[in-house]
mmCIF file with all atom_site columns, all heavy atoms in Angstrom:
data_model
loop_
_atom_site.group_PDB
_atom_site.id
_atom_site.type_symbol
_atom_site.label_atom_id
_atom_site.label_alt_id
_atom_site.label_comp_id
_atom_site.label_asym_id
_atom_site.label_entity_id
_atom_site.label_seq_id
_atom_site.pdbx_PDB_ins_code
_atom_site.Cartn_x
_atom_site.Cartn_y
_atom_site.Cartn_z
_atom_site.occupancy
_atom_site.B_iso_or_equiv
_atom_site.pdbx_formal_charge
_atom_site.auth_seq_id
_atom_site.auth_comp_id
_atom_site.auth_asym_id
_atom_site.auth_atom_id
_atom_site.pdbx_PDB_model_num
ATOM 1   N N     . GLN P 1 138 ? -15.772 -18.473 18.858  1.00 0.00 ? 612 GLN P N     1
ATOM 2   C CA    . GLN P 1 138 ? -15.120 -17.699 19.904  1.00 0.00 ? 612 GLN P CA    1
ATOM 3   C C     . GLN P 1 138 ? -16.192 -17.111 20.809  1.00 0.00 ? 612 GLN P C     1
ATOM 4   O O     . GLN P 1 138 ? -17.352 -16.975 20.419  1.00 0.00 ? 612 GLN P O     1
ATOM 5   C CB    . GLN P 1 138 ? -14.320 -16.563 19.281  1.00 0.00 ? 612 GLN P CB    1
ATOM 6   C CG    . GLN P 1 138 ? -13.145 -17.037 18.460  1.00 0.00 ? 612 GLN P CG    1
ATOM 7   C CD    . GLN P 1 138 ? -12.190 -17.859 19.285  1.00 0.00 ? 612 GLN P CD    1
ATOM 8   O OE1   . GLN P 1 138 ? -11.636 -17.382 20.252  1.00 0.00 ? 612 GLN P OE1   1
ATOM 9   N NE2   . GLN P 1 138 ? -12.020 -19.121 18.909  1.00 0.00 ? 612 GLN P NE2   1
ATOM 10  N N     . ARG P 1 216 ? -6.340  -30.631 13.758  1.00 0.00 ? 690 ARG P N     1
ATOM 11  C CA    . ARG P 1 216 ? -7.783  -30.877 13.753  1.00 0.00 ? 690 ARG P CA    1
ATOM 12  C C     . ARG P 1 216 ? -7.985  -32.341 13.397  1.00 0.00 ? 690 ARG P C     1
ATOM 13  O O     . ARG P 1 216 ? -7.261  -32.885 12.544  1.00 0.00 ? 690 ARG P O     1
ATOM 14  C CB    . ARG P 1 216 ? -8.475  -30.005 12.691  1.00 0.00 ? 690 ARG P CB    1
ATOM 15  C CG    . ARG P 1 216 ? -8.302  -28.510 12.887  1.00 0.00 ? 690 ARG P CG    1
ATOM 16  C CD    . ARG P 1 216 ? -9.099  -28.010 14.080  1.00 0.00 ? 690 ARG P CD    1
ATOM 17  N NE    . ARG P 1 216 ? -9.017  -26.553 14.194  1.00 0.00 ? 690 ARG P NE    1
ATOM 18  C CZ    . ARG P 1 216 ? -8.026  -25.915 14.834  1.00 0.00 ? 690 ARG P CZ    1
ATOM 19  N NH1   . ARG P 1 216 ? -7.057  -26.602 15.378  1.00 0.00 ? 690 ARG P NH1   1
ATOM 20  N NH2   . ARG P 1 216 ? -8.018  -24.606 14.900  1.00 0.00 ? 690 ARG P NH2   1
ATOM 21  N N     . VAL P 1 235 ? -4.728  -24.970 9.368   1.00 0.00 ? 709 VAL P N     1
ATOM 22  C CA    . VAL P 1 235 ? -4.438  -24.344 8.079   1.00 0.00 ? 709 VAL P CA    1
ATOM 23  C C     . VAL P 1 235 ? -3.469  -23.174 8.150   1.00 0.00 ? 709 VAL P C     1
ATOM 24  O O     . VAL P 1 235 ? -2.734  -22.925 7.197   1.00 0.00 ? 709 VAL P O     1
ATOM 25  C CB    . VAL P 1 235 ? -5.719  -23.878 7.358   1.00 0.00 ? 709 VAL P CB    1
ATOM 26  C CG1   . VAL P 1 235 ? -6.430  -25.071 6.759   1.00 0.00 ? 709 VAL P CG1   1
ATOM 27  C CG2   . VAL P 1 235 ? -6.626  -23.107 8.275   1.00 0.00 ? 709 VAL P CG2   1
ATOM 28  N N     . ASN P 1 364 ? 1.477   12.720  -22.325 1.00 0.00 ? 838 ASN P N     1
ATOM 29  C CA    . ASN P 1 364 ? 1.572   13.871  -23.215 1.00 0.00 ? 838 ASN P CA    1
ATOM 30  C C     . ASN P 1 364 ? 2.998   14.397  -23.323 1.00 0.00 ? 838 ASN P C     1
ATOM 31  O O     . ASN P 1 364 ? 3.423   14.875  -24.377 1.00 0.00 ? 838 ASN P O     1
ATOM 32  C CB    . ASN P 1 364 ? 0.637   14.978  -22.724 1.00 0.00 ? 838 ASN P CB    1
ATOM 33  C CG    . ASN P 1 364 ? 0.645   16.192  -23.631 1.00 0.00 ? 838 ASN P CG    1
ATOM 34  O OD1   . ASN P 1 364 ? 0.382   16.072  -24.823 1.00 0.00 ? 838 ASN P OD1   1
ATOM 35  N ND2   . ASN P 1 364 ? 0.976   17.354  -23.076 1.00 0.00 ? 838 ASN P ND2   1
ATOM 36  N N     . THR P 1 433 ? 7.814   24.075  -21.823 1.00 0.00 ? 907 THR P N     1
ATOM 37  C CA    . THR P 1 433 ? 6.945   25.235  -22.014 1.00 0.00 ? 907 THR P CA    1
ATOM 38  C C     . THR P 1 433 ? 7.742   26.534  -21.921 1.00 0.00 ? 907 THR P C     1
ATOM 39  O O     . THR P 1 433 ? 7.542   27.469  -22.703 1.00 0.00 ? 907 THR P O     1
ATOM 40  C CB    . THR P 1 433 ? 5.824   25.239  -20.960 1.00 0.00 ? 907 THR P CB    1
ATOM 41  O OG1   . THR P 1 433 ? 5.071   24.033  -21.110 1.00 0.00 ? 907 THR P OG1   1
ATOM 42  C CG2   . THR P 1 433 ? 4.904   26.438  -21.140 1.00 0.00 ? 907 THR P CG2   1
ATOM 43  P P     . A   Y 2 36  ? 1.943   19.397  -32.595 1.00 0.00 ? 351 A   Y P     1
ATOM 44  O OP1   . A   Y 2 36  ? 1.868   18.486  -33.756 1.00 0.00 ? 351 A   Y OP1   1
ATOM 45  O OP2   . A   Y 2 36  ? 1.083   20.593  -32.523 1.00 0.00 ? 351 A   Y OP2   1
ATOM 46  O "O5'" . A   Y 2 36  ? 1.705   18.539  -31.272 1.00 0.00 ? 351 A   Y "O5'" 1
ATOM 47  C "C5'" . A   Y 2 36  ? 2.379   17.287  -31.095 1.00 0.00 ? 351 A   Y "C5'" 1
ATOM 48  C "C4'" . A   Y 2 36  ? 2.094   16.795  -29.706 1.00 0.00 ? 351 A   Y "C4'" 1
ATOM 49  O "O4'" . A   Y 2 36  ? 2.562   17.784  -28.752 1.00 0.00 ? 351 A   Y "O4'" 1
ATOM 50  C "C3'" . A   Y 2 36  ? 0.607   16.623  -29.404 1.00 0.00 ? 351 A   Y "C3'" 1
ATOM 51  O "O3'" . A   Y 2 36  ? 0.236   15.299  -29.708 1.00 0.00 ? 351 A   Y "O3'" 1
ATOM 52  C "C2'" . A   Y 2 36  ? 0.526   16.876  -27.904 1.00 0.00 ? 351 A   Y "C2'" 1
ATOM 53  O "O2'" . A   Y 2 36  ? 0.808   15.706  -27.167 1.00 0.00 ? 351 A   Y "O2'" 1
ATOM 54  C "C1'" . A   Y 2 36  ? 1.667   17.870  -27.671 1.00 0.00 ? 351 A   Y "C1'" 1
ATOM 55  N N9    . A   Y 2 36  ? 1.237   19.271  -27.569 1.00 0.00 ? 351 A   Y N9    1
ATOM 56  C C8    . A   Y 2 36  ? 0.790   20.106  -28.544 1.00 0.00 ? 351 A   Y C8    1
ATOM 57  N N7    . A   Y 2 36  ? 0.504   21.319  -28.123 1.00 0.00 ? 351 A   Y N7    1
ATOM 58  C C5    . A   Y 2 36  ? 0.790   21.270  -26.774 1.00 0.00 ? 351 A   Y C5    1
ATOM 59  C C6    . A   Y 2 36  ? 0.701   22.224  -25.749 1.00 0.00 ? 351 A   Y C6    1
ATOM 60  N N6    . A   Y 2 36  ? 0.286   23.484  -25.952 1.00 0.00 ? 351 A   Y N6    1
ATOM 61  N N1    . A   Y 2 36  ? 1.053   21.843  -24.503 1.00 0.00 ? 351 A   Y N1    1
ATOM 62  C C2    . A   Y 2 36  ? 1.473   20.583  -24.307 1.00 0.00 ? 351 A   Y C2    1
ATOM 63  N N3    . A   Y 2 36  ? 1.602   19.591  -25.192 1.00 0.00 ? 351 A   Y N3    1
ATOM 64  C C4    . A   Y 2 36  ? 1.241   20.008  -26.406 1.00 0.00 ? 351 A   Y C4    1
ATOM 65  P P     . A   Y 2 39  ? -7.829  18.999  -22.029 1.00 0.00 ? 354 A   Y P     1
ATOM 66  O OP1   . A   Y 2 39  ? -8.749  17.899  -22.365 1.00 0.00 ? 354 A   Y OP1   1
ATOM 67  O OP2   . A   Y 2 39  ? -8.156  19.904  -20.907 1.00 0.00 ? 354 A   Y OP2   1
ATOM 68  O "O5'" . A   Y 2 39  ? -6.414  18.348  -21.745 1.00 0.00 ? 354 A   Y "O5'" 1
ATOM 69  C "C5'" . A   Y 2 39  ? -5.329  19.153  -21.488 1.00 0.00 ? 354 A   Y "C5'" 1
ATOM 70  C "C4'" . A   Y 2 39  ? -4.074  18.425  -21.898 1.00 0.00 ? 354 A   Y "C4'" 1
ATOM 71  O "O4'" . A   Y 2 39  ? -3.956  18.454  -23.336 1.00 0.00 ? 354 A   Y "O4'" 1
ATOM 72  C "C3'" . A   Y 2 39  ? -2.804  19.070  -21.374 1.00 0.00 ? 354 A   Y "C3'" 1
ATOM 73  O "O3'" . A   Y 2 39  ? -2.490  18.554  -20.102 1.00 0.00 ? 354 A   Y "O3'" 1
ATOM 74  C "C2'" . A   Y 2 39  ? -1.786  18.672  -22.423 1.00 0.00 ? 354 A   Y "C2'" 1
ATOM 75  O "O2'" . A   Y 2 39  ? -1.365  17.348  -22.243 1.00 0.00 ? 354 A   Y "O2'" 1
ATOM 76  C "C1'" . A   Y 2 39  ? -2.616  18.760  -23.690 1.00 0.00 ? 354 A   Y "C1'" 1
ATOM 77  N N9    . A   Y 2 39  ? -2.620  20.116  -24.272 1.00 0.00 ? 354 A   Y N9    1
ATOM 78  C C8    . A   Y 2 39  ? -2.709  21.329  -23.636 1.00 0.00 ? 354 A   Y C8    1
ATOM 79  N N7    . A   Y 2 39  ? -2.703  22.362  -24.445 1.00 0.00 ? 354 A   Y N7    1
ATOM 80  C C5    . A   Y 2 39  ? -2.603  21.790  -25.691 1.00 0.00 ? 354 A   Y C5    1
ATOM 81  C C6    . A   Y 2 39  ? -2.556  22.346  -26.972 1.00 0.00 ? 354 A   Y C6    1
ATOM 82  N N6    . A   Y 2 39  ? -2.604  23.642  -27.217 1.00 0.00 ? 354 A   Y N6    1
ATOM 83  N N1    . A   Y 2 39  ? -2.457  21.492  -28.004 1.00 0.00 ? 354 A   Y N1    1
ATOM 84  C C2    . A   Y 2 39  ? -2.410  20.179  -27.755 1.00 0.00 ? 354 A   Y C2    1
ATOM 85  N N3    . A   Y 2 39  ? -2.456  19.521  -26.592 1.00 0.00 ? 354 A   Y N3    1
ATOM 86  C C4    . A   Y 2 39  ? -2.555  20.398  -25.598 1.00 0.00 ? 354 A   Y C4    1
ATOM 87  P P     . U   Y 2 40  ? -2.249  19.516  -18.880 1.00 0.00 ? 355 U   Y P     1
ATOM 88  O OP1   . U   Y 2 40  ? -1.957  18.649  -17.720 1.00 0.00 ? 355 U   Y OP1   1
ATOM 89  O OP2   . U   Y 2 40  ? -3.333  20.514  -18.799 1.00 0.00 ? 355 U   Y OP2   1
ATOM 90  O "O5'" . U   Y 2 40  ? -0.926  20.277  -19.295 1.00 0.00 ? 355 U   Y "O5'" 1
ATOM 91  C "C5'" . U   Y 2 40  ? 0.261   19.558  -19.621 1.00 0.00 ? 355 U   Y "C5'" 1
ATOM 92  C "C4'" . U   Y 2 40  ? 1.332   20.525  -20.053 1.00 0.00 ? 355 U   Y "C4'" 1
ATOM 93  O "O4'" . U   Y 2 40  ? 0.889   21.206  -21.260 1.00 0.00 ? 355 U   Y "O4'" 1
ATOM 94  C "C3'" . U   Y 2 40  ? 1.591   21.635  -19.047 1.00 0.00 ? 355 U   Y "C3'" 1
ATOM 95  O "O3'" . U   Y 2 40  ? 2.531   21.222  -18.061 1.00 0.00 ? 355 U   Y "O3'" 1
ATOM 96  C "C2'" . U   Y 2 40  ? 2.142   22.734  -19.930 1.00 0.00 ? 355 U   Y "C2'" 1
ATOM 97  O "O2'" . U   Y 2 40  ? 3.483   22.513  -20.282 1.00 0.00 ? 355 U   Y "O2'" 1
ATOM 98  C "C1'" . U   Y 2 40  ? 1.268   22.569  -21.192 1.00 0.00 ? 355 U   Y "C1'" 1
ATOM 99  N N1    . U   Y 2 40  ? 0.039   23.384  -21.148 1.00 0.00 ? 355 U   Y N1    1
ATOM 100 C C2    . U   Y 2 40  ? 0.149   24.755  -21.351 1.00 0.00 ? 355 U   Y C2    1
ATOM 101 O O2    . U   Y 2 40  ? 1.197   25.312  -21.543 1.00 0.00 ? 355 U   Y O2    1
ATOM 102 N N3    . U   Y 2 40  ? -1.037  25.438  -21.299 1.00 0.00 ? 355 U   Y N3    1
ATOM 103 C C4    . U   Y 2 40  ? -2.301  24.916  -21.074 1.00 0.00 ? 355 U   Y C4    1
ATOM 104 O O4    . U   Y 2 40  ? -3.274  25.667  -21.069 1.00 0.00 ? 355 U   Y O4    1
ATOM 105 C C5    . U   Y 2 40  ? -2.313  23.486  -20.872 1.00 0.00 ? 355 U   Y C5    1
ATOM 106 C C6    . U   Y 2 40  ? -1.182  22.787  -20.911 1.00 0.00 ? 355 U   Y C6    1
ATOM 107 P P     . C   Y 2 75  ? -10.157 -16.958 16.971  1.00 0.00 ? 390 C   Y P     1
ATOM 108 O OP1   . C   Y 2 75  ? -11.344 -16.797 16.132  1.00 0.00 ? 390 C   Y OP1   1
ATOM 109 O OP2   . C   Y 2 75  ? -10.309 -17.052 18.441  1.00 0.00 ? 390 C   Y OP2   1
ATOM 110 O "O5'" . C   Y 2 75  ? -9.367  -18.235 16.471  1.00 0.00 ? 390 C   Y "O5'" 1
ATOM 111 C "C5'" . C   Y 2 75  ? -8.834  -18.277 15.158  1.00 0.00 ? 390 C   Y "C5'" 1
ATOM 112 C "C4'" . C   Y 2 75  ? -8.212  -19.623 14.960  1.00 0.00 ? 390 C   Y "C4'" 1
ATOM 113 O "O4'" . C   Y 2 75  ? -7.024  -19.680 15.791  1.00 0.00 ? 390 C   Y "O4'" 1
ATOM 114 C "C3'" . C   Y 2 75  ? -9.098  -20.763 15.443  1.00 0.00 ? 390 C   Y "C3'" 1
ATOM 115 O "O3'" . C   Y 2 75  ? -9.876  -21.265 14.350  1.00 0.00 ? 390 C   Y "O3'" 1
ATOM 116 C "C2'" . C   Y 2 75  ? -8.097  -21.792 15.927  1.00 0.00 ? 390 C   Y "C2'" 1
ATOM 117 O "O2'" . C   Y 2 75  ? -7.633  -22.611 14.861  1.00 0.00 ? 390 C   Y "O2'" 1
ATOM 118 C "C1'" . C   Y 2 75  ? -6.928  -20.923 16.426  1.00 0.00 ? 390 C   Y "C1'" 1
ATOM 119 N N1    . C   Y 2 75  ? -6.942  -20.688 17.885  1.00 0.00 ? 390 C   Y N1    1
ATOM 120 C C2    . C   Y 2 75  ? -6.131  -21.491 18.686  1.00 0.00 ? 390 C   Y C2    1
ATOM 121 O O2    . C   Y 2 75  ? -5.461  -22.372 18.149  1.00 0.00 ? 390 C   Y O2    1
ATOM 122 N N3    . C   Y 2 75  ? -6.104  -21.274 20.027  1.00 0.00 ? 390 C   Y N3    1
ATOM 123 C C4    . C   Y 2 75  ? -6.836  -20.298 20.563  1.00 0.00 ? 390 C   Y C4    1
ATOM 124 N N4    . C   Y 2 75  ? -6.769  -20.121 21.887  1.00 0.00 ? 390 C   Y N4    1
ATOM 125 C C5    . C   Y 2 75  ? -7.680  -19.474 19.764  1.00 0.00 ? 390 C   Y C5    1
ATOM 126 C C6    . C   Y 2 75  ? -7.705  -19.701 18.438  1.00 0.00 ? 390 C   Y C6    1
ATOM 127 P P     . A   Y 2 77  ? -8.487  -21.469 9.301   1.00 0.00 ? 392 A   Y P     1
ATOM 128 O OP1   . A   Y 2 77  ? -7.877  -22.769 9.605   1.00 0.00 ? 392 A   Y OP1   1
ATOM 129 O OP2   . A   Y 2 77  ? -8.096  -20.288 10.094  1.00 0.00 ? 392 A   Y OP2   1
ATOM 130 O "O5'" . A   Y 2 77  ? -8.306  -21.190 7.763   1.00 0.00 ? 392 A   Y "O5'" 1
ATOM 131 C "C5'" . A   Y 2 77  ? -7.228  -20.454 7.291   1.00 0.00 ? 392 A   Y "C5'" 1
ATOM 132 C "C4'" . A   Y 2 77  ? -7.707  -19.479 6.250   1.00 0.00 ? 392 A   Y "C4'" 1
ATOM 133 O "O4'" . A   Y 2 77  ? -8.936  -18.855 6.687   1.00 0.00 ? 392 A   Y "O4'" 1
ATOM 134 C "C3'" . A   Y 2 77  ? -6.734  -18.334 6.049   1.00 0.00 ? 392 A   Y "C3'" 1
ATOM 135 O "O3'" . A   Y 2 77  ? -5.745  -18.709 5.107   1.00 0.00 ? 392 A   Y "O3'" 1
ATOM 136 C "C2'" . A   Y 2 77  ? -7.630  -17.217 5.583   1.00 0.00 ? 392 A   Y "C2'" 1
ATOM 137 O "O2'" . A   Y 2 77  ? -7.939  -17.328 4.219   1.00 0.00 ? 392 A   Y "O2'" 1
ATOM 138 C "C1'" . A   Y 2 77  ? -8.900  -17.459 6.402   1.00 0.00 ? 392 A   Y "C1'" 1
ATOM 139 N N9    . A   Y 2 77  ? -8.896  -16.740 7.677   1.00 0.00 ? 392 A   Y N9    1
ATOM 140 C C8    . A   Y 2 77  ? -8.675  -17.241 8.926   1.00 0.00 ? 392 A   Y C8    1
ATOM 141 N N7    . A   Y 2 77  ? -8.758  -16.341 9.883   1.00 0.00 ? 392 A   Y N7    1
ATOM 142 C C5    . A   Y 2 77  ? -9.045  -15.174 9.217   1.00 0.00 ? 392 A   Y C5    1
ATOM 143 C C6    . A   Y 2 77  ? -9.251  -13.843 9.654   1.00 0.00 ? 392 A   Y C6    1
ATOM 144 N N6    . A   Y 2 77  ? -9.199  -13.470 10.930  1.00 0.00 ? 392 A   Y N6    1
ATOM 145 N N1    . A   Y 2 77  ? -9.510  -12.906 8.725   1.00 0.00 ? 392 A   Y N1    1
ATOM 146 C C2    . A   Y 2 77  ? -9.556  -13.275 7.441   1.00 0.00 ? 392 A   Y C2    1
ATOM 147 N N3    . A   Y 2 77  ? -9.378  -14.477 6.903   1.00 0.00 ? 392 A   Y N3    1
ATOM 148 C C4    . A   Y 2 77  ? -9.128  -15.402 7.853   1.00 0.00 ? 392 A   Y C4    1
#
Side-chain angles (χ1 to χ4, degrees):
Chain P
Q612 293 301 299
R690 300 289 185 274
V709 284
N838 182 56
T907 300

